[in-house]
PDB file of all heavy atoms in Angstrom:
ATOM      1  N   GLU A 122     -58.088-108.688  58.333  1.00 96.00           N
ATOM      2  CA  GLU A 122     -57.372-107.922  59.302  1.00 96.00           C
ATOM      3  C   GLU A 122     -55.790-108.116  59.100  1.00 96.00           C
ATOM      4  O   GLU A 122     -54.986-107.179  59.158  1.00 96.00           O
ATOM      5  CB  GLU A 122     -57.743-108.216  60.781  1.00 96.00           C
ATOM      6  CG  GLU A 122     -59.032-107.663  61.183  1.00 96.00           C
ATOM      7  CD  GLU A 122     -59.397-108.222  62.496  1.00 96.00           C
ATOM      8  OE1 GLU A 122     -58.500-108.540  63.380  1.00 96.00           O
ATOM      9  OE2 GLU A 122     -60.665-108.088  62.848  1.00 96.00           O
ATOM     10  N   ILE A 123     -55.519-109.351  58.827  1.00 95.00           N
ATOM     11  CA  ILE A 123     -53.912-109.702  58.515  1.00 95.00           C
ATOM     12  C   ILE A 123     -53.542-108.887  57.330  1.00 95.00           C
ATOM     13  O   ILE A 123     -52.522-108.345  57.349  1.00 95.00           O
ATOM     14  CB  ILE A 123     -53.828-111.286  58.465  1.00 95.00           C
ATOM     15  CG1 ILE A 123     -54.045-111.931  59.798  1.00 95.00           C
ATOM     16  CG2 ILE A 123     -52.449-111.490  57.773  1.00 95.00           C
ATOM     17  CD1 ILE A 123     -54.085-113.433  59.635  1.00 95.00           C
ATOM     18  N   VAL A 124     -54.363-108.958  56.258  1.00 96.00           N
ATOM     19  CA  VAL A 124     -53.955-108.328  54.965  1.00 96.00           C
ATOM     20  C   VAL A 124     -53.892-106.756  55.259  1.00 96.00           C
ATOM     21  O   VAL A 124     -52.953-106.152  54.812  1.00 96.00           O
ATOM     22  CB  VAL A 124     -54.916-108.635  53.845  1.00 96.00           C
ATOM     23  CG1 VAL A 124     -54.711-107.718  52.684  1.00 96.00           C
ATOM     24  CG2 VAL A 124     -54.848-110.075  53.494  1.00 96.00           C
ATOM     25  N   SER A 125     -54.876-106.246  55.922  1.00 96.00           N
ATOM     26  CA  SER A 125     -54.850-104.837  56.219  1.00 96.00           C
ATOM     27  C   SER A 125     -53.688-104.382  57.066  1.00 96.00           C
ATOM     28  O   SER A 125     -53.011-103.324  56.833  1.00 96.00           O
ATOM     29  CB  SER A 125     -56.131-104.396  56.978  1.00 96.00           C
ATOM     30  OG  SER A 125     -56.210-103.118  57.304  1.00 96.00           O
ATOM     31  N   SER A 126     -53.371-105.203  58.107  1.00 95.00           N
ATOM     32  CA  SER A 126     -52.269-104.837  58.923  1.00 95.00           C
ATOM     33  C   SER A 126     -50.836-104.952  58.093  1.00 95.00           C
ATOM     34  O   SER A 126     -50.041-104.021  58.311  1.00 95.00           O
ATOM     35  CB  SER A 126     -52.189-105.945  60.058  1.00 95.00           C
ATOM     36  OG  SER A 126     -50.972-105.758  60.922  1.00 95.00           O
ATOM     37  N   LEU A 127     -50.715-105.970  57.268  1.00 95.00           N
ATOM     38  CA  LEU A 127     -49.462-105.956  56.405  1.00 95.00           C
ATOM     39  C   LEU A 127     -49.339-104.755  55.524  1.00 95.00           C
ATOM     40  O   LEU A 127     -48.311-104.183  55.310  1.00 95.00           O
ATOM     41  CB  LEU A 127     -49.474-107.262  55.702  1.00 95.00           C
ATOM     42  CG  LEU A 127     -49.136-108.538  56.442  1.00 95.00           C
ATOM     43  CD1 LEU A 127     -49.351-109.875  55.628  1.00 95.00           C
ATOM     44  CD2 LEU A 127     -47.560-108.424  56.744  1.00 95.00           C
ATOM     45  N   GLU A 128     -50.588-104.405  54.951  1.00 95.00           N
ATOM     46  CA  GLU A 128     -50.553-103.297  53.998  1.00 95.00           C
ATOM     47  C   GLU A 128     -50.073-102.007  54.861  1.00 95.00           C
ATOM     48  O   GLU A 128     -49.405-101.156  54.345  1.00 95.00           O
ATOM     49  CB  GLU A 128     -51.921-103.030  53.389  1.00 95.00           C
ATOM     50  CG  GLU A 128     -52.201-104.128  52.322  1.00 95.00           C
ATOM     51  CD  GLU A 128     -53.686-104.021  51.878  1.00 95.00           C
ATOM     52  OE1 GLU A 128     -54.518-103.482  52.576  1.00 95.00           O
ATOM     53  OE2 GLU A 128     -53.922-104.577  50.668  1.00 95.00           O
ATOM     54  N   SER A 129     -50.579-101.827  56.030  1.00 95.00           N
ATOM     55  CA  SER A 129     -50.144-100.643  56.894  1.00 95.00           C
ATOM     56  C   SER A 129     -48.658-100.757  57.205  1.00 95.00           C
ATOM     57  O   SER A 129     -48.056 -99.717  57.202  1.00 95.00           O
ATOM     58  CB  SER A 129     -51.007-100.767  58.128  1.00 95.00           C
ATOM     59  OG  SER A 129     -50.665 -99.670  59.036  1.00 95.00           O
ATOM     60  N   GLU A 130     -48.217-101.933  57.630  1.00 93.00           N
ATOM     61  CA  GLU A 130     -46.836-102.064  57.841  1.00 93.00           C
ATOM     62  C   GLU A 130     -45.941-101.687  56.742  1.00 93.00           C
ATOM     63  O   GLU A 130     -44.875-101.018  56.824  1.00 93.00           O
ATOM     64  CB  GLU A 130     -46.466-103.407  58.352  1.00 93.00           C
ATOM     65  CG  GLU A 130     -46.987-103.794  59.693  1.00 93.00           C
ATOM     66  CD  GLU A 130     -46.829-105.262  60.176  1.00 93.00           C
ATOM     67  OE1 GLU A 130     -45.792-105.808  59.733  1.00 93.00           O
ATOM     68  OE2 GLU A 130     -47.661-105.814  60.867  1.00 93.00           O
ATOM     69  N   ILE A 131     -46.389-102.184  55.548  1.00 93.00           N
ATOM     70  CA  ILE A 131     -45.676-101.896  54.345  1.00 93.00           C
ATOM     71  C   ILE A 131     -45.583-100.338  54.022  1.00 93.00           C
ATOM     72  O   ILE A 131     -44.619 -99.811  53.641  1.00 93.00           O
ATOM     73  CB  ILE A 131     -46.173-102.653  53.118  1.00 93.00           C
ATOM     74  CG1 ILE A 131     -45.872-104.075  53.270  1.00 93.00           C
ATOM     75  CG2 ILE A 131     -45.684-102.075  51.783  1.00 93.00           C
ATOM     76  CD1 ILE A 131     -46.531-105.101  52.226  1.00 93.00           C
ATOM     77  N   LYS A 132     -46.803 -99.668  54.173  1.00 92.00           N
ATOM     78  CA  LYS A 132     -46.812 -98.313  54.025  1.00 92.00           C
ATOM     79  C   LYS A 132     -45.911 -97.517  54.989  1.00 92.00           C
ATOM     80  O   LYS A 132     -45.264 -96.652  54.529  1.00 92.00           O
ATOM     81  CB  LYS A 132     -48.196 -97.823  54.201  1.00 92.00           C
ATOM     82  CG  LYS A 132     -48.449 -96.418  53.807  1.00 92.00           C
ATOM     83  CD  LYS A 132     -49.960 -95.933  53.842  1.00 92.00           C
ATOM     84  CE  LYS A 132     -50.024 -94.423  53.481  1.00 92.00           C
ATOM     85  NZ  LYS A 132     -51.470 -94.031  53.445  1.00 92.00           N
ATOM     86  N   ASN A 133     -45.791 -97.946  56.172  1.00 90.00           N
ATOM     87  CA  ASN A 133     -44.941 -97.325  57.219  1.00 90.00           C
ATOM     88  C   ASN A 133     -43.463 -97.582  56.853  1.00 90.00           C
ATOM     89  O   ASN A 133     -42.624 -96.609  56.859  1.00 90.00           O
ATOM     90  CB  ASN A 133     -45.223 -97.925  58.657  1.00 90.00           C
ATOM     91  CG  ASN A 133     -46.435 -97.442  59.243  1.00 90.00           C
ATOM     92  OD1 ASN A 133     -47.007 -96.427  58.794  1.00 90.00           O
ATOM     93  ND2 ASN A 133     -47.006 -98.162  60.078  1.00 90.00           N
ATOM     94  N   LEU A 134     -43.122 -98.813  56.380  1.00 88.00           N
ATOM     95  CA  LEU A 134     -41.794 -99.028  55.947  1.00 88.00           C
ATOM     96  C   LEU A 134     -41.366 -98.254  54.714  1.00 88.00           C
ATOM     97  O   LEU A 134     -40.237 -97.738  54.625  1.00 88.00           O
ATOM     98  CB  LEU A 134     -41.616-100.515  55.644  1.00 88.00           C
ATOM     99  CG  LEU A 134     -41.538-101.456  56.856  1.00 88.00           C
ATOM    100  CD1 LEU A 134     -41.582-102.964  56.487  1.00 88.00           C
ATOM    101  CD2 LEU A 134     -40.301-101.214  57.694  1.00 88.00           C
ATOM    102  N   GLU A 135     -42.312 -98.085  53.769  1.00 88.00           N
ATOM    103  CA  GLU A 135     -42.025 -97.313  52.569  1.00 88.00           C
ATOM    104  C   GLU A 135     -41.787 -95.904  53.037  1.00 88.00           C
ATOM    105  O   GLU A 135     -41.015 -95.185  52.377  1.00 88.00           O
ATOM    106  CB  GLU A 135     -43.135 -97.419  51.559  1.00 88.00           C
ATOM    107  CG  GLU A 135     -43.261 -98.669  50.783  1.00 88.00           C
ATOM    108  CD  GLU A 135     -44.504 -98.941  50.066  1.00 88.00           C
ATOM    109  OE1 GLU A 135     -45.566 -98.181  50.254  1.00 88.00           O
ATOM    110  OE2 GLU A 135     -44.399 -99.862  49.162  1.00 88.00           O
ATOM    111  N   ASN A 136     -42.572 -95.314  53.987  1.00 86.00           N
ATOM    112  CA  ASN A 136     -42.215 -94.012  54.487  1.00 86.00           C
ATOM    113  C   ASN A 136     -40.896 -93.905  54.981  1.00 86.00           C
ATOM    114  O   ASN A 136     -40.197 -92.857  54.792  1.00 86.00           O
ATOM    115  CB  ASN A 136     -43.271 -93.558  55.511  1.00 86.00           C
ATOM    116  CG  ASN A 136     -44.663 -93.300  54.785  1.00 86.00           C
ATOM    117  OD1 ASN A 136     -44.713 -92.945  53.631  1.00 86.00           O
ATOM    118  ND2 ASN A 136     -45.669 -93.326  55.647  1.00 86.00           N
ATOM    119  N   GLU A 137     -40.445 -94.843  55.888  1.00 82.00           N
ATOM    120  CA  GLU A 137     -39.104 -94.784  56.430  1.00 82.00           C
ATOM    121  C   GLU A 137     -38.055 -94.866  55.385  1.00 82.00           C
ATOM    122  O   GLU A 137     -37.060 -94.230  55.415  1.00 82.00           O
ATOM    123  CB  GLU A 137     -38.912 -96.063  57.362  1.00 82.00           C
ATOM    124  CG  GLU A 137     -39.584 -95.907  58.751  1.00 82.00           C
ATOM    125  CD  GLU A 137     -39.253 -97.028  59.654  1.00 82.00           C
ATOM    126  OE1 GLU A 137     -37.971 -97.314  59.890  1.00 82.00           O
ATOM    127  OE2 GLU A 137     -40.269 -97.794  60.115  1.00 82.00           O
ATOM    128  N   PHE A 138     -38.492 -95.711  54.350  1.00 79.00           N
ATOM    129  CA  PHE A 138     -37.513 -95.913  53.262  1.00 79.00           C
ATOM    130  C   PHE A 138     -37.219 -94.638  52.525  1.00 79.00           C
ATOM    131  O   PHE A 138     -36.005 -94.236  52.280  1.00 79.00           O
ATOM    132  CB  PHE A 138     -38.154 -97.010  52.261  1.00 79.00           C
ATOM    133  CG  PHE A 138     -37.344 -97.501  51.164  1.00 79.00           C
ATOM    134  CD1 PHE A 138     -36.316 -98.451  51.426  1.00 79.00           C
ATOM    135  CD2 PHE A 138     -37.422 -96.872  49.871  1.00 79.00           C
ATOM    136  CE1 PHE A 138     -35.604 -98.943  50.383  1.00 79.00           C
ATOM    137  CE2 PHE A 138     -36.652 -97.458  48.834  1.00 79.00           C
ATOM    138  CZ  PHE A 138     -35.779 -98.487  49.146  1.00 79.00           C
ATOM    139  N   SER A 139     -38.392 -93.882  52.232  1.00 78.00           N
ATOM    140  CA  SER A 139     -38.089 -92.662  51.532  1.00 78.00           C
ATOM    141  C   SER A 139     -37.473 -91.536  52.438  1.00 78.00           C
ATOM    142  O   SER A 139     -36.820 -90.737  51.899  1.00 78.00           O
ATOM    143  CB  SER A 139     -39.455 -92.161  50.963  1.00 78.00           C
ATOM    144  OG  SER A 139     -40.306 -91.804  52.061  1.00 78.00           O
ATOM    145  N   ASN A 140     -37.702 -91.632  53.719  1.00 73.00           N
ATOM    146  CA  ASN A 140     -37.082 -90.682  54.575  1.00 73.00           C
ATOM    147  C   ASN A 140     -35.562 -90.867  54.674  1.00 73.00           C
ATOM    148  O   ASN A 140     -34.812 -89.853  54.798  1.00 73.00           O
ATOM    149  CB  ASN A 140     -37.664 -90.809  56.072  1.00 73.00           C
ATOM    150  CG  ASN A 140     -39.042 -90.257  56.122  1.00 73.00           C
ATOM    151  OD1 ASN A 140     -39.501 -89.458  55.311  1.00 73.00           O
ATOM    152  ND2 ASN A 140     -39.746 -90.601  57.136  1.00 73.00           N
ATOM    153  N   ILE A 141     -35.089 -92.063  54.616  1.00 76.00           N
ATOM    154  CA  ILE A 141     -33.662 -92.283  54.767  1.00 76.00           C
ATOM    155  C   ILE A 141     -32.988 -91.903  53.398  1.00 76.00           C
ATOM    156  O   ILE A 141     -31.807 -91.377  53.417  1.00 76.00           O
ATOM    157  CB  ILE A 141     -33.369 -93.809  55.017  1.00 76.00           C
ATOM    158  CG1 ILE A 141     -33.840 -94.112  56.418  1.00 76.00           C
ATOM    159  CG2 ILE A 141     -31.903 -94.093  54.796  1.00 76.00           C
ATOM    160  CD1 ILE A 141     -33.646 -95.549  56.807  1.00 76.00           C
ATOM    161  N   GLY A 142     -33.612 -92.139  52.332  1.00 68.00           N
ATOM    162  CA  GLY A 142     -33.058 -91.791  51.022  1.00 68.00           C
ATOM    163  C   GLY A 142     -32.355 -92.892  50.381  1.00 68.00           C
ATOM    164  O   GLY A 142     -31.856 -93.829  51.102  1.00 68.00           O
ATOM    165  N   ASN A 143     -32.328 -92.930  49.002  1.00 65.00           N
ATOM    166  CA  ASN A 143     -31.722 -94.029  48.309  1.00 65.00           C
ATOM    167  C   ASN A 143     -30.444 -93.668  47.711  1.00 65.00           C
ATOM    168  O   ASN A 143     -29.898 -94.505  46.914  1.00 65.00           O
ATOM    169  CB  ASN A 143     -32.812 -94.700  47.363  1.00 65.00           C
ATOM    170  CG  ASN A 143     -33.246 -93.601  46.435  1.00 65.00           C
ATOM    171  OD1 ASN A 143     -32.798 -92.438  46.454  1.00 65.00           O
ATOM    172  ND2 ASN A 143     -34.195 -93.982  45.579  1.00 65.00           N
ATOM    173  N   ASN A 144     -29.858 -92.498  47.956  1.00 80.00           N
ATOM    174  CA  ASN A 144     -28.462 -92.144  47.316  1.00 80.00           C
ATOM    175  C   ASN A 144     -27.339 -92.371  48.315  1.00 80.00           C
ATOM    176  O   ASN A 144     -26.361 -91.794  48.201  1.00 80.00           O
ATOM    177  CB  ASN A 144     -28.595 -90.717  46.912  1.00 80.00           C
ATOM    178  CG  ASN A 144     -28.788 -89.718  48.037  1.00 80.00           C
ATOM    179  OD1 ASN A 144     -29.195 -90.049  49.127  1.00 80.00           O
ATOM    180  ND2 ASN A 144     -28.569 -88.473  47.636  1.00 80.00           N
ATOM    181  N   ILE A 145     -27.653 -93.235  49.376  1.00 85.00           N
ATOM    182  CA  ILE A 145     -26.701 -93.485  50.350  1.00 85.00           C
ATOM    183  C   ILE A 145     -25.383 -94.145  49.756  1.00 85.00           C
ATOM    184  O   ILE A 145     -24.254 -93.783  50.004  1.00 85.00           O
ATOM    185  CB  ILE A 145     -27.173 -94.305  51.540  1.00 85.00           C
ATOM    186  CG1 ILE A 145     -28.165 -93.561  52.285  1.00 85.00           C
ATOM    187  CG2 ILE A 145     -26.154 -94.696  52.438  1.00 85.00           C
ATOM    188  CD1 ILE A 145     -29.038 -94.274  53.314  1.00 85.00           C
ATOM    189  N   ASP A 146     -25.687 -95.166  48.994  1.00 84.00           N
ATOM    190  CA  ASP A 146     -24.540 -95.812  48.340  1.00 84.00           C
ATOM    191  C   ASP A 146     -23.568 -95.007  47.482  1.00 84.00           C
ATOM    192  O   ASP A 146     -22.402 -95.003  47.581  1.00 84.00           O
ATOM    193  CB  ASP A 146     -25.044 -97.041  47.485  1.00 84.00           C
ATOM    194  CG  ASP A 146     -25.585 -98.243  48.192  1.00 84.00           C
ATOM    195  OD1 ASP A 146     -25.070 -98.397  49.363  1.00 84.00           O
ATOM    196  OD2 ASP A 146     -26.406 -98.915  47.712  1.00 84.00           O
ATOM    197  N   SER A 147     -24.221 -94.099  46.665  1.00 84.00           N
ATOM    198  CA  SER A 147     -23.471 -93.255  45.792  1.00 84.00           C
ATOM    199  C   SER A 147     -22.711 -92.276  46.566  1.00 84.00           C
ATOM    200  O   SER A 147     -21.466 -91.887  46.365  1.00 84.00           O
ATOM    201  CB  SER A 147     -24.342 -92.631  44.760  1.00 84.00           C
ATOM    202  OG  SER A 147     -25.223 -91.657  45.391  1.00 84.00           O
ATOM    203  N   THR A 148     -23.236 -91.819  47.715  1.00 86.00           N
ATOM    204  CA  THR A 148     -22.601 -90.713  48.665  1.00 86.00           C
ATOM    205  C   THR A 148     -21.301 -91.436  49.289  1.00 86.00           C
ATOM    206  O   THR A 148     -20.254 -90.757  49.314  1.00 86.00           O
ATOM    207  CB  THR A 148     -23.470 -90.244  49.665  1.00 86.00           C
ATOM    208  OG1 THR A 148     -24.676 -89.627  48.976  1.00 86.00           O
ATOM    209  CG2 THR A 148     -22.830 -89.113  50.484  1.00 86.00           C
TER     210      THR A 148
END
Side-chain angles (χ1 to χ4, degrees):
E122 286 178 22
I123 291 171
V124 168
S125 177
S126 173
L127 282 169
E128 288 172 339
S129 176
E130 288 176 32
I131 288 171
K132 187 174 181 176
N133 290 338
L134 285 171
E135 286 172 342
N136 287 337
E137 282 185 59
F138 188 81
S139 65
N140 288 340
I141 291 178
N143 54 6
N144 63 347
I145 295 171
D146 284 333
S147 66
T148 305

